[in-house]
Amino acid sequence: MRSSNQSLSFFRLILLVLVHFGLSTETHAQEFPNKPITMVMPYAPGGPGDAITRLFAGSMQKILGQQILVDNTSGASGSIGTTKVARSKPDGYTLLMIHVSHATNMAMYKNLSYHPVDDFEPIGLATNGPMVIVARNDFPPKDINDFVSYVKSNQSSISLANAGLGSASHLCGLMMMNVLGVKLNEIPYKGTGPALMDLMGGQVDLLCDQTSGTVPPIKAGKIKAYASANKSRLPSLPNTPSITEAGIKGLEINISFGLYAPKGTPKAVLEKLTSALQHSVSDPEVKKRLDAMGISAVSLEQATPSYLRAHLKNEIDTLNVLLIKADIQPN
């Protein structure tokens, strides 16, 4: 009888703990957020990802009623900052804004300290943006047709910058070399900001990167644009032909940024974050500023966990094939 009573008491204790845990989780979700949120951008300041992250942080904090701080933790193709978020407490106060490197790092590193799918909760897609082939101002070719001929004839002496292995600019560069049948001298940097600085300074010849980082220096006359890696001309660069318009096939690429939280973040918290993200992609001021950078906010349907989950899976399945084809050896 005593044993039976002890078992019943133990069962009641476990039930009380579970009820308390459930109530605590629900209360936490209802109170969220009650302190500042950190949004990690795993690349260096000054690049396109930094500009996008700061724009959405500023917009979403108005909806959530708490300050959103941007943390640029860069290095190792974004994996250092991504690891930081994966290991953070799953309470919604540490988020990750990242692009295609979240998918490609699986092929770039043998012992990645996180899994892009298993260790994160998708919140939603934020932006879509095309890429632009740009060069130092005194690079000899006068247009895209001259560019193709010149690159093919001088490939051994041409330097091609990128924002790090597995980055958007690295992928675009690989695609460009593959389509043109050339092998350029690749120069990896720790982010687009440093790569752009050296391009503007004439230390490197070429870069293929996102419009969010390249359009401002193009318009300021600090670098020259040859073509957008797009099917049609961009409204932000009306005088720059698209790669398709120039008759070059197979080089259309768009880069999307998505927002994630650590695995285990309460569903109610994720719903609040998704709602804030959807308000931001619909915000006329956000759209206006994104248009000025040559990129666009996604639709409400795309700014959802289910869409971002499917988008990430597609990128993992397709883009890693490009890296294998380029014979990129994991570190």
Side-chain angles (χ1 to χ4, degrees):
M1 187 70 179
R2 182 180 179 184
S3 176
S4 177
N5 287 335
Q6 286 177 334
S7 297
L8 185 59
S9 297
F10 179 73
F11 174 76
R12 287 173 176 168
L13 177 62
I14 294 298
L15 184 61
L16 285 172
V17 170
L18 291 175
V19 169
H20 175 74
F21 177 78
L23 289 175
S24 296
T25 302
E26 183 180 351
T27 300
H28 170 77
Q30 290 174 346
E31 293 177 348
F32 176 86
N34 56 20
K35 63 180 181 179
I37 296 169
T38 297
M39 190 177 289
V40 175
M41 160 39 52
Y43 282 98
D50 184 52
I52 289 170
T53 302
R54 293 181 186 280
L55 177 59
F56 275 88
S59 176
M60 288 178 64
Q61 70 182 12
K62 296 175 184 177
I63 306 300
L64 293 169
Q66 288 288 342
Q67 185 179 14
I68 299 181
L69 307 171
V70 176
D71 177 1
N72 295 90
T73 300
S74 61
S77 301
S79 64
I80 294 177
T82 304
T83 298
K84 182 177 182 178
V85 178
R87 294 177 178 174
S88 297
K89 186 177 179 180
D91 56 7
Y93 289 100
T94 306
L95 308 176
L96 174 71
M97 181 72 84
I98 193 169
H99 60 20
V100 67
S101 64
H102 200 47
T104 57
N105 277 345
M106 288 187 70
M108 299 300 303
Y109 297 95
K110 292 179 181 178
N111 300 309
L112 200 62
S113 59
Y114 62 86
H115 191 283
V117 176
D118 297 342
D119 293 334
F120 294 89
E121 302 283 0
I123 295 170
L125 209 62
T127 65
N128 281 316
M131 309 286 280
V132 182
I133 300 172
V134 293
R136 54 182 170 84
N137 264 337
D138 56 353
F139 197 61
K142 67 178 186 298
D143 57 32
I144 186 61
N145 293 320
D146 283 349
F147 174 88
V148 172
S149 300
Y150 185 87
V151 168
K152 288 184 176 181
S153 300
N154 299 276
Q155 55 184 293
S156 62
S157 62
I158 296 174
S159 57
L160 173 64
N162 64 56
L165 298 178
S167 66
S169 52
H170 180 220
L171 292 173
C172 189
L174 289 177
M175 290 178 69
M176 182 177 70
M177 290 189 289
N178 183 54
V179 168
L180 299 182
V182 298
K183 179 60 179 175
L184 308 180
N185 300 306
E186 297 178 84
I187 312 295
Y189 287 80
K190 291 183 178 180
T192 298
L196 270 172
M197 287 297 293
D198 274 8
L199 186 70
M200 290 186 284
Q203 280 78 44
V204 288
D205 299 316
L206 302 175
L207 174 70
C208 182
D209 212 340
Q210 302 162 74
T211 49
S212 52
T214 55
V215 167
I218 290 170
K219 290 185 173 181
K222 296 179 179 179
I223 55 176
K224 63 167 65 174
Y226 282 105
S228 62
N230 207 43
K231 290 184 178 180
S232 56
R233 292 198 181 202
L234 303 175
S236 57
L237 296 173
N239 298 320
T240 302
S242 71
I243 206 73
T244 304
E245 181 184 346
I248 301 172
K249 298 180 179 180
L251 190 47
E252 296 87 7
I253 179 173
N254 272 272
I255 298 299
S256 302
F257 276 86
L259 190 62
Y260 297 84
K263 190 71 173 182
T265 301
K267 182 179 179 181
V269 171
L270 293 172
E271 289 174 348
K272 285 189 176 182
L273 291 168
T274 296
S275 178
L277 176 64
Q278 290 185 324
H279 275 88
S280 293
V281 299
S282 303
D283 184 343
E285 182 61 26
V286 170
K287 288 184 175 182
K288 179 181 177 181
R289 291 181 61 183
L290 288 175
D291 284 343
M293 293 188 283
I295 59 181
S296 59
V298 300
S299 65
L300 290 178
E301 292 75 17
Q302 293 173 315
T304 60
S306 59
Y307 188 92
L308 180 54
R309 186 179 293 107
H311 177 82
L312 175 61
K313 184 181 183 302
N314 179 66
E315 286 193 328
I316 291 173
D317 292 342
T318 58
L319 294 178
N320 286 340
V321 174
L322 176 64
L323 295 172
I324 293 172
K325 186 175 181 180
D327 195 29
I328 302 297
Q329 298 300 315
N331 291 326

